Amino acid sequence: MFRSKKLQQDIDAIRERDPAARSDFEVIALYQGLKAVRSHRKAHWFYKHNMLFLARWISQRNRKKTGIEIHPGAKIGKGLLIDHGMGVVIGETTEIGDNCTIYQGVTLGGTGKDKGKRHPTLGNNVLVGAGAKVLGPIKIGDNVKIAANAVVLQEVPPNSTAVGVPARVVKRDGVKVDPLDHIHIPDPVAMELCRLDAQIEILKKQILKIKNNIDD
């Protein structure tokens, strides 16, 4: 069966990174992420040739069939793996490099504040965990890992791991950066109670002083 070079690269990427993929035929027949990427490549061709309605029709039809929404204007490199895929949203000005991995529930979107380039740019070999949101015209460097459910609002340097809401870099080039200390982290409730106790003591002294002046 004839396959384009780019299609074969997409199939190979899935088989290399998904241990559940047993054959090329299984990937072509059953993997919704591959179907979404293939449909997007068609939609993107029409988008580039200014046939915008047809491009959007293909992308919306693909969304209904796969649960994955990719705007036809998005630029996607080779070897993209959208694993599971349900709920993935990729915006119009998004750029994705080669050999990236995106899990279910991911949004590569905008903040609503930008015009023109509104969506993120992912480098090569980027992994975006389930439920993560990468928002705005920010750059995500090569070999970055974004943890599940992270919300990324700022650029992430290459070879880094970002976690949290908002996301922060916790590892770079294999070395931990400012690790979180869950044992010694300040307790905001306890700090507020201490502040209130101090204010109460000040007020007690002021009341006592006023009372003494009245008695005199």
Side-chain angles (χ1 to χ4, degrees), residues 50-204:
N50 206 34
M51 290 182 270
L52 304 183
F53 180 85
L54 186 55
R56 286 303 299 270
W57 182 82
I58 294 172
S59 69
Q60 291 302 109
R61 183 169 177 266
N62 173 62
R63 175 180 178 271
K64 291 179 181 178
K65 292 176 65 177
T66 66
I68 299 168
E69 182 172 349
I70 309 175
H71 193 284
K75 299 177 181 178
I76 295 178
K78 65 182 181 182
L80 173 64
L81 167 58
I82 302 178
D83 202 2
H84 304 294
M86 183 62 69
V88 167
V89 177
I90 300 175
E92 179 180 17
T93 60
T94 301
E95 299 177 46
I96 300 175
D98 296 335
N99 302 313
C100 292
T101 302
I102 295 174
Y103 286 91
Q104 68 273 15
V106 165
T107 298
L108 305 180
T111 62
K113 300 177 181 179
D114 304 290
K115 296 181 179 180
K117 173 64 171 168
R118 309 183 304 281
H119 305 104
T121 297
L122 275 57
N124 300 322
N125 307 306
V126 173
L127 184 149
V128 186
K133 317 299 178 190
V134 186
L135 306 176
I138 57 177
K139 293 184 178 180
I140 308 301
D142 294 344
N143 309 309
V144 163
K145 294 180 180 179
I146 297 173
N149 295 317
V151 177
V152 184
L153 302 173
Q154 297 181 342
E155 295 189 0
V156 180
N159 308 307
S160 301
T161 299
V163 306
V165 181
R168 56 197 292 272
V169 174
V170 296
K171 186 179 290 187
R172 187 170 183 181
D173 296 320
V175 178
K176 289 185 177 180
V177 178
D178 189 22
L180 292 172
D181 186 348
H182 293 285
I183 297 175
H184 301 100
I185 190 168
D187 184 342
V189 175
M191 292 173 67
E192 182 65 14
L193 289 174
C194 288
R195 186 183 68 81
L196 291 173
D197 282 342
Q199 285 186 337
I200 290 170
E201 287 301 319
I202 293 172
L203 291 172
K204 282 182 178 179

